[in-house]
Each structure stands twice: as structure tokens, then as C-alpha cells.
Amino acid sequence: MPSHATSVFEEGLMVPPIRLWDAGVPNRSALAIMTRNSRMPESLAADLDAECSACLMGARRLGELFDRYGVDAVESCFDAIISRTTETYRREILSQIPVGSWVWEDYAEHDGVDEPQLHTQRITLTRTAPDDPEGERLVLDFDGTGPQAKGPINHCGDYSDGVFLNLAETPERMAELDINEGIVPLIEMRFPEPGTLLTPVFPAPTNARTFVILRLLGVLAWVVAKAVDGRMPADQETIRYTGVYGEDLDGRPYLMREVLGGGSGGRYYADGEDTIHVVPDSRNLPTEFTEARFPFRVESLSLAIDSGGAGQFRGGLGYEKQIRMLKDGHFMSIADRSILACWGVKGGQAGQPFQVTIDPGGPHEREVDALADAEPVAAGEVIRIRTTGGGGWGDPLQRDPGLVVRDVVWRKVSPQAALADYGVVLTGSLEDDSLGYDAAATAAERAARPAASEAFFDRGPGYATLAAGAPYAEVDLV
């Protein structure tokens, strides 16, 4: 879909709710209309067939469940599961948040039409008391969110039904907890009047709304973090779409689109994870598959060194991927966090932002916008993609120097960053496996460093470029 759309009518075919299958028979007329509007109708037809087949299988198995146990028994089980979730989350999650109110905001950086700017998403979190007349719950008020964008980053949040919250004591317990409709009684959503990023007015474009949705996850996490003294992970941006398209070596149209992950944020008990994908079924495409099918060669795929934000607990690393085009084509990208990095927290530093460079080190080297539809790439040119690193958690000068040495050995942190970001004075060499650190020199180096910023969050240097030089936002103070 076009990243520079200014109206929903530019975003492709709009199909209202219709039956693609009815009484076991496919609606071939409707399916033909959809596939006829694609450059690759066979591929789209296969996707639609797979999705319909999955739905049909689910319906059949659910019907078998009702046939076996009866409607009353199955529906009673559903109700019991939902009720159990409500009570579990009230006891284990809601109880961890004190009564009070907190405010935080974050931003999308561009909408594909206007110049980069701060597109604000704000949440005021209020935790009500147990004796509140309307019940004990979390109230999420989005008042203060910025106006709807000209470009396609708008999200119809007031028409969405999903709410969730997971603040379990341990990752293991988090994995055990069900997330379903039982959470709804514990969370009240309040949206602003129509005309904002979260309440756009038709025909506002929405095809790149992923940025705003993901940003809401971070805003929610860190307004909660204010309430629980930072016991939440730092920021992450673990989804973006990149790809190339054109005609293959046989003259047939092709599209290779990939969902590359990024590093997750450092946590109050551990480093972030590398190259995490927020969409469970999306991964970087296998080299063997892509090289056999598309006219390019994957020259490297690795962790992007130094991409994770420095911290007592370091942010996870993003990808670095380089592909060389074998035939002229076009590069496309739907991404964010190319200016505003994933923020660090409680002294942790922001991670490295998303970056795409074409022909790095060559005569036609150039940076590509994160929102790009049709960047020409000549045969022989390399496309280098670096995805975001997660933000760091805690003061990097508090990190165990031995872990910094380990990260340098593992090529996650460069020797230069070990000194600049962590204040660790290395000794020995990587080449002969003698790398270590000088404890006395490291202690002296760290002691000479200035005090950390008073801000609870570090948004990276890109924030100042969009905020008239301000180093942090007012809501970043605690």
C-alpha cells in the first residue's frame, strides 16, 4: 500500500464485510474481484485459500466440540475461563499497581506526507480504589493525543475491541496467564473526540497504522512503569516491512516483502533479547528460499553491533542484512524509529535507530527514508538494512565489566563502545583470546563521568531534532 496516501481511496480495493464462503461453497465472484486487483493473482489466491481453509477447519472443530458436549456445557466452560481470567488478573496484576494517576506520551516520527514531526500519543493512567462506585480498574484516557495525520499512520482505536495487560511476577508466570475477554472489566478506555491519530475521520488513510499501534504498547508499558518504579522493559520496535520488487530474470513480476524484527528492551532483571519479532509467524526469510526465487543475493545477515542501548541491562540487538541486486528493481520500506530511537529508562540509553543505505561505500551511496515506496536500485548495488536495537535499562556505568568484555567477545558491543558507553578500559586482544579489563582504570574512568540526566527516559539524539532542541519531554521526569 502507498506510504504517501492522503485518503483511504488511494489505499487499494475496499471490500465491505461479505461472505467469501457460504454454506460450504466459495464466493468465486468476490474472490475473482480481489485477485484481479493484484499484480500477482496466483499468490493472493493462495493466501485467501489458506485463510479460508483455516477458518473452515476452526468452525468444523468448534462444531464438533458442541456436538460432543452440548451447547450448555461448552458455553459454561467459556464463561468459567473468562471469569477465572478476571479474578486472576485482579489478584496478580491489578494489585501490583498502586492507586493514583500517571501521564506519559510517545511519538510517531513521520506520516509519509508532511515533514518529520512529533505525532503525539498520550495516555493518562488512573488506578481506581477498591471502593470506587464503578469498580476497581485501570482507566486509560487518551486525551492529549495529537491530531490525525495527513498520511496513513492513523489508527481507528475507538473501533478496536482488544485490550490487554500483563504485569506478571516472572516471565514464566506471564506465559501461563490467559489473555481473553476476562481482562475487559478491569480496563476502561476513554478516547478523545473524532479527529485525532486514534479517532480519525473517514476517509483518513490508515495503511501504515502499525507504527501508532506499536507505539501505544510502549506508552501503556511506560505509564505503568511510572507507577511501579520502572519495573517494565525499555522500549522496542520489533516489526517493520522492507522488500524489493520488479521483474525477475525471466521477466515475471515479483514482490519480496520481509518482516524483520529488532532488539527488545533491557529489563530490570536481564538484558533485552536480540532480533525479536512481535508478529509470531513472521521471521527473516531463509536465504536459500529468497535467492532461488528472487533476483538478488543475500551477502550477509548478522546482528547489528552496538545497536542495543547501553544500560546496566543492555538492549537487545537488531539485524544487519545486506542484499545485492542482480537486476534493476525497486526497494520499499514501511518503518518507523529512524529518527526517534527506542528509548532507554532509569539511566539506560536509547538504542540505535532503523537505517537503510543503498550502495554503502560506493559511488552512489544514499540513505533511504523509512517510508519509501519505489526507491530505484540498480543491478549490482547493495541494500544494507539495519533494524532497531532495544533501549537499555539502568545506568550503563553499573553494568558488570565482565559482561561488557563478554559482549565485546561476542561482537555485540565494539571495543570503542565498551569505553565510550560503559566506561570499561579493555586490556588484551580479541585476536589471541586475551581480552579482559583493567579494574582500577575502569573504576577511575567511571568515577570521572558526569552525573546522569534527571530524565527517567532517554529518547536518543533524534528527539531534540524534532522537539526544537529539547533534550527530553516534560512527561519524562518522575
Side-chain angles (χ1 to χ4, degrees), residues 11 17 48 82 85 93 107 113 124 173 187 189 194 239 283 311 341 392 411 450:
E11 296 184 312
L48 291 170
I82 291 172
T85 296
I93 308 300
Y107 318 94
V113 176
T124 299
R173 181 55 178 157
I187 301 179
M189 314 278 275
I239 183 173
R283 294 290 186 271
R411 272 64 174 183

Side-chain angles (χ1 to χ4, degrees), residues 350-379:
Q352 290 297 309
F354 176 78
Q355 182 187 50
V356 176
T357 307
I358 295 179
D359 197 30
H364 303 110
E365 178 174 341
R366 58 201 184 274
E367 300 291 319
V368 178
D369 288 341
L371 278 176
D373 288 334
E375 179 69 25
V377 187

Side-chain angles (χ1 to χ4, degrees), residues 275-468:
T275 59
I276 293 297
H277 294 250
V278 73
V279 179
D281 294 329
S282 71
R283 294 290 186 271
N284 58 294
L285 297 177
T287 297
E288 297 81 1
F289 167 78
T290 54
E291 290 187 340
R293 190 161 183 171
F294 306 115
F296 60 76
R297 182 171 63 242
V298 179
E299 301 218 324
S300 68
L301 177 64
S302 62
L303 296 177
I305 190 169
D306 289 336
S307 58
Q312 180 181 2
F313 297 105
R314 175 183 43 74
L317 273 61
Y319 283 105
E320 178 174 308
K321 186 168 188 174
Q322 300 193 40
I323 63 175
R324 186 179 297 276
M325 298 298 293
L326 303 180
K327 186 178 181 180
D328 291 357
H330 290 87
F331 173 80
M332 56 81 63
S333 171
I334 301 178
D336 199 45
R337 288 300 198 215
S338 64
I339 302 173
L340 299 172
C342 296
W343 34 260
V345 68
K346 291 201 76 172
Q349 297 177 11
Q352 290 297 309
F354 176 78
Q355 182 187 50
V356 176
T357 307
I358 295 179
D359 197 30
H364 303 110
E365 178 174 341
R366 58 201 184 274
E367 300 291 319
V368 178
D369 288 341
L371 278 176
D373 288 334
E375 179 69 25
V377 187
E381 288 189 322
V382 169
I383 304 170
R384 184 181 68 199
I385 303 166
R386 289 176 175 164
T387 67
T388 51
W393 196 99
D395 186 351
L397 300 183
Q398 298 298 317
R399 186 168 177 80
D400 182 347
L403 296 180
V404 178
V405 172
R406 180 205 66 183
D407 287 346
V408 174
V409 172
W410 287 356
R411 272 64 174 183
K412 292 189 175 186
V413 172
S414 68
Q416 296 79 10
L419 178 61
D421 294 338
Y422 294 96
V424 174
V425 180
L426 299 175
T427 61
S429 171
L430 280 170
E431 282 66 32
D432 60 7
D433 294 330
S434 64
L435 193 72
Y437 72 97
D438 185 318
T442 295
E445 175 69 27
R446 289 180 165 185
R449 297 289 178 94
S453 167
E454 62 178 331
F456 198 60
F457 303 90
D458 173 37
R459 299 180 185 268
Y463 176 77
T465 66
L466 301 183

Side-chain angles (χ1 to χ4, degrees), residues 187-246:
I187 301 179
E188 177 185 341
M189 314 278 275
R190 296 177 181 174
F191 288 96
E193 293 296 314
T196 73
L197 276 177
L198 301 180
T199 57
V201 177
F202 185 86
T206 62
N207 76 76
R209 61 191 176 277
T210 305
F211 310 147
V212 169
I213 295 172
L214 289 177
R215 203 66 66 249
L216 285 175
L217 301 182
V219 179
L220 173 59
W222 277 97
V223 76
V224 172
K226 279 189 165 184
V228 296
D229 192 32
R231 291 174 63 84
M232 295 287 282
D235 191 30
Q236 62 185 34
E237 177 83 347
T238 57
I239 183 173
R240 75 275 305 148
Y241 311 98
T242 61
V244 293
Y245 64 93

